[in-house]
Amino acid sequence: MWQPFLPIAKQALTDPREAATTLMSMGVPREALWPAFGLFVVLSALLGASSEMLRPPVQGIALAPLPFAGVSAIAGAASVFAIWKVGEAMEGTGSFQETLLLMVFLQGILFIGQIIEFVVWIIAPPIASLMSVALLVLAFWLNLNFIAALHGFPSLLRAFGCLLLASAGVALVLIVALTVFGISMVDMAANA
């Protein structure tokens, strides 16, 4: 089932815009996307819980796996919607289904990176810290290129504008979601 996506994942590391175009042309049905989205939310929550059990306690707030999965699902769904709608407002051509496909694919790539980071952390924690930074940079780069391909933007600058506005919207949604789970931004700042 996952085999057709592996070459595209490799291509995404060298030519992310072309990989996104290839992925969108595959005709992946919407019915397959929501379960994949849910799967990555659950797997990320489990990986996060495993990391928390093995790592020494740090200051700050760590969500239990279930609330973490809930907040991740809300943030992910809000991201998909925001990138689609903001891009549409900027005269982009991407559809909701294509946005969901690219964001699920991005989460899959990042999840593989997080697994590698987790294994490296067990062996050499300082290197894992560098990997965390590298994963953030990779996520940003892939996201920009995926948004540009999705909406047919000629430049990454326009994709950056879309990502920036969408991120602001998602941040507002997250503040509400964290409040629903009983965590205020003041608590997070006080415990950081």
Side-chain angles (χ1 to χ4, degrees), residues 32-51:
L33 297 176
W34 284 115
F37 175 84
L39 176 66
F40 284 123
V41 166
V42 170
L43 290 175
S44 292
L46 292 173
L47 184 61
S50 300
S51 297

Side-chain angles (χ1 to χ4, degrees), residues 74-100:
I74 291 167
S79 293
V80 170
F81 184 79
I83 289 169
W84 170 51
K85 285 314 250 180
V86 169
E88 188 178 76
M90 295 174 70
E91 299 178 0
T93 57
S95 70
F96 178 80
Q97 183 170 331
E98 290 170 330
T99 309
L100 180 58

Side-chain angles (χ1 to χ4, degrees), residues 12-24:
L13 301 177
T14 56
D15 190 357
R17 198 166 180 158
E18 186 59 35
T21 302
T22 302
L23 192 62
M24 289 186 293

Side-chain angles (χ1 to χ4, degrees), residues 74-128:
I74 291 167
S79 293
V80 170
F81 184 79
I83 289 169
W84 170 51
K85 285 314 250 180
V86 169
E88 188 178 76
M90 295 174 70
E91 299 178 0
T93 57
S95 70
F96 178 80
Q97 183 170 331
E98 290 170 330
T99 309
L100 180 58
L101 170 65
L102 291 176
M103 293 305 109
V104 167
F105 188 71
L106 176 62
Q107 288 307 310
I109 291 172
L110 296 178
F111 181 72
I112 292 167
Q114 289 169 332
I115 289 173
I116 294 168
E117 178 192 0
F118 180 70
V119 171
V120 169
W121 180 84
I122 293 170
I123 299 166
I127 296 173

Side-chain angles (χ1 to χ4, degrees), residues 71 73-87 160-178 185:
V71 170
I74 291 167
S79 293
V80 170
F81 184 79
I83 289 169
W84 170 51
K85 285 314 250 180
V86 169
F160 177 72
C162 178
L163 181 60
L164 193 64
L165 291 171
S167 296
V170 172
L172 290 174
V173 169
L174 274 179
I175 290 169
V176 172
L178 288 171
M185 299 310 279

